[in-house]
Structure formats: structure tokens, C-alpha cells
């Protein structure tokens, strides 16, 4: 008889945007937590759409200017935040390459592509590639041709990706998904949901996620005495 316990099914919904630095930081912390509980869960991650800047024009906006307008951040505070994010990223194995003139873009097309990639079984790979494209490679993630190129990097068909975006195939579904999370009072990201419950807001430390995972494990029914192990 085997003493191995079956893996516990675990769906994780992550509401996020690809131009949100805290979203990749939070994901990296989540991965550290999951690694601490290896061989416990069968993890199924789903990335949910959220636009930090739904009214951003196609040409985007200078990032420093945008942060100053939206949050009232001074140039000194902006530099300090960039330095902090860069150090956090380095510690977690992610490169933030902030630079003068960096622009932020509308991400609705990116979310449409992610919706399609979910059905293709490559959503997480694409999401991570989009984080890298924006923060590490200085690329315009609002441009549909660049988005199709990023899709190709993770093994998706770039021509089909471009067709998805030019046709607006998933516009309605993505708008519905966005509305659903807003209806659940998600107004800031990242937001993590474990098995459609246990909401965890923000880029928490790994141990915060570990505590949630331990609660989920503790709630699993234990095999009866004498039951095959």
C-alpha cells in the first residue's frame, strides 16, 4: 500500500493587470509559498482581467507623469518606488528595467489575448511573458502586433493571436469578466482567491500565502482508520 496522499485540488484566481508591478511580485511570492508545500496541491491558476487604466489612450502616457497625476507622487517618491521595486524584483528573480521616458499603455487587448490563451492551455506562460515584455524588455504591450509576437514566444500561433485581436473575438467575454470582479468589489490588484474563497489582497509575503494554504489543507477530510492509504 502507498502512503502517498492524493493531491488536494486548488484553483487560484488571480485578478491582475500586466502593467501592475505588484502583480508579478505577488505571483512570485505565491510561487515561493507553493514550493514550501510541494506535493500537497494540484494547482490550477486562472488569470482574471483588470484594467488599471481603462481610459488610457492608444498612445499611452509617460509613466512618471501618469503616477504623479493618479497618485500625487513626487519625482523623489517615484524614484524611491522604482528603486524599491527593482530590488524586490531582483530578490525574487524578476527584472524591472525602469527608464526615463517609460510609458504605460491600455491593456484591454492584452486581456483579450490572455482569455484566448487560457483555452489554449498557455495562459500563465503568456501572462509571465507579458510582464517581462513590459517591465524587462521595454516593449509596448498595448500594440497588437507586439502582443502577437509575445504570444509566439510562448508557443502560441502569432497569426491566430493577431486575428483574435483584430476581430475582437473575445471583447464581450473579457468585459463580462471585468464586470464580474468589479461586482465582487475588486478595485485594486493583485487579488488572489483560493477555491473561490479565502481572498488575499495585494502582494503579500510568501508566509501569508502559506497560512492560507495550511488552512485549506487542514479542512480536507482525513481518511478513516483502516482506510487504504
Amino acid at each position: 500500500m502507498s502512503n502517498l496522499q492524493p493531491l488536494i485540488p486548488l484553483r487560484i484566481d488571480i485578478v491582475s493587470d500586466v502593467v501592475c508591478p505588484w502583480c508579478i511580485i505577488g505571483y512570485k511570492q505565491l510561487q515561493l509559498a507553493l514550493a514550501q508545500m510541494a506535493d500537497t496541491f494540484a494547482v490550477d491558476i486562472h488569470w482574471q482581467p483588470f484594467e488599471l487604466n481603462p481610459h488610457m489612450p492608444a498612445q499611452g502616457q509617460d509613466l512618471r507623469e501618469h503616477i504623479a497625476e493618479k497618485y500625487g507622487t513626487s519625482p523623489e517618491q517615484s524614484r524611491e518606488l522604482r528603486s524599491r521595486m527593482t530590488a524586490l524584483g531582483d530578490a525574487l528573480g524578476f527584472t524591472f528595467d525602469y527608464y526615463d521616458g517609460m510609458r504605460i499603455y491600455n491593456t484591454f487587448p492584452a486581456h483579450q489575448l490572455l482569455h484566448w490563451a487560457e483555452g489554449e492551455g498557455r495562459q500563465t506562460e503568456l501572462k509571465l511573458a507579458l510582464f517581462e515584455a513590459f517591465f524587462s524588455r521595454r516593449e509596448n504591450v498595448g500594440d497588437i502586433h507586439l502582443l502577437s509576437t509575445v504570444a509566439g514566444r510562448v508557443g502560441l500561433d502569432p497569426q491566430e493571436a493577431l486575428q483574435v485581436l483584430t476581430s475582437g473575438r473575445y471583447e464581450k467575454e473579457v468585459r463580462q469578466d471585468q464586470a464580474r470582479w468589479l461586482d465582487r468589489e475588486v478595485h485594486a490588484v493583485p487579488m488572489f482567491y483560493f477555491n473561490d474563497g479565502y481572498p488575499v489582497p495585494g502582494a503579500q509575503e510568501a508566509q501569508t500565502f502559506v497560512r492560507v494554504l495550511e488552512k485549506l489543507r487542514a479542512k480536507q477530510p482525513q481518511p478513516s482508520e483502516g482506510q487504504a492509504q
Side-chain angles (χ1 to χ4, degrees):
M1 286 191 235
S2 171
N3 291 321
L4 293 176
Q5 296 293 324
L7 296 178
I8 301 167
L10 177 61
R11 176 182 171 120
I12 306 175
D13 289 285
I14 309 175
V15 190
S16 75
D17 200 354
V18 300
V19 293
C20 165
W22 293 111
C23 291
I24 181 59
I25 291 295
Y27 175 76
K28 290 288 189 178
Q29 297 283 17
L30 172 65
Q31 290 301 300
L32 290 177
L34 291 170
Q36 290 182 44
M37 303 188 71
D39 303 321
T40 302
F41 297 99
V43 180
D44 182 25
I45 292 178
H46 296 263
W47 296 89
Q48 304 295 345
F50 186 95
E51 288 180 78
L52 286 171
N53 308 291
H55 305 298
M56 180 66 65
Q59 70 270 22
Q61 184 182 15
D62 179 88
L63 180 60
R64 286 188 180 180
E65 177 185 285
H66 172 75
I67 295 299
E69 288 181 3
K70 190 170 185 178
Y71 303 107
T73 306
S74 69
E76 293 76 16
Q77 290 171 321
S78 180
R79 283 193 293 271
E80 182 179 340
L81 178 59
R82 290 182 182 204
S83 177
R84 180 185 176 196
M85 295 307 306
T86 299
L88 271 172
D90 288 344
L92 292 166
F94 184 82
T95 300
F96 286 102
D97 182 19
Y98 289 109
Y99 59 96
D100 290 341
M102 185 174 183
R103 300 183 73 79
I104 193 165
Y105 300 98
N106 181 281
T107 55
F108 186 55
H111 289 300
Q112 294 173 61
L113 202 62
L114 286 161
H115 185 94
W116 167 66
E118 182 176 23
E120 300 294 313
R122 296 288 179 89
Q123 191 187 39
T124 292
E125 292 92 333
L126 180 60
K127 185 77 173 190
L128 297 179
L130 289 169
F131 281 132
E132 181 186 22
F134 181 65
F135 288 111
S136 308
R137 300 174 69 124
R138 302 187 175 191
E139 293 176 333
N140 176 358
V141 293
D143 178 80
I144 62 172
H145 296 282
L146 183 278
L147 291 174
S148 69
T149 297
V150 177
R153 291 173 189 163
V154 299
L156 292 163
D157 183 341
Q159 292 304 314
E160 185 176 359
L162 189 60
Q163 198 280 329
V164 164
L165 295 173
T166 56
S167 68
R169 187 189 306 176
Y170 297 112
E171 284 186 5
K172 181 179 179 181
E173 288 88 343
V174 172
R175 291 295 187 207
Q176 289 173 339
D177 286 344
Q178 289 177 318
R180 177 164 57 93
W181 293 105
L182 288 172
D183 190 58
R184 291 182 67 168
E185 297 299 325
V186 177
H187 298 293
V189 290
M191 189 74 178
F192 300 81
Y193 287 91
F194 295 82
N195 285 343
D196 203 35
Y198 295 93
V200 178
Q204 301 292 334
E205 296 287 338
Q207 286 308 116
T208 298
F209 291 117
V210 168
R211 287 194 292 272
V212 173
L213 295 171
E214 288 175 338
K215 287 181 182 179
L216 288 165
R217 180 172 61 182
K219 285 185 174 293
Q220 294 302 302
Q222 298 301 310
S224 302
E225 187 175 349
Q227 183 176 334
Q229 300 292 309

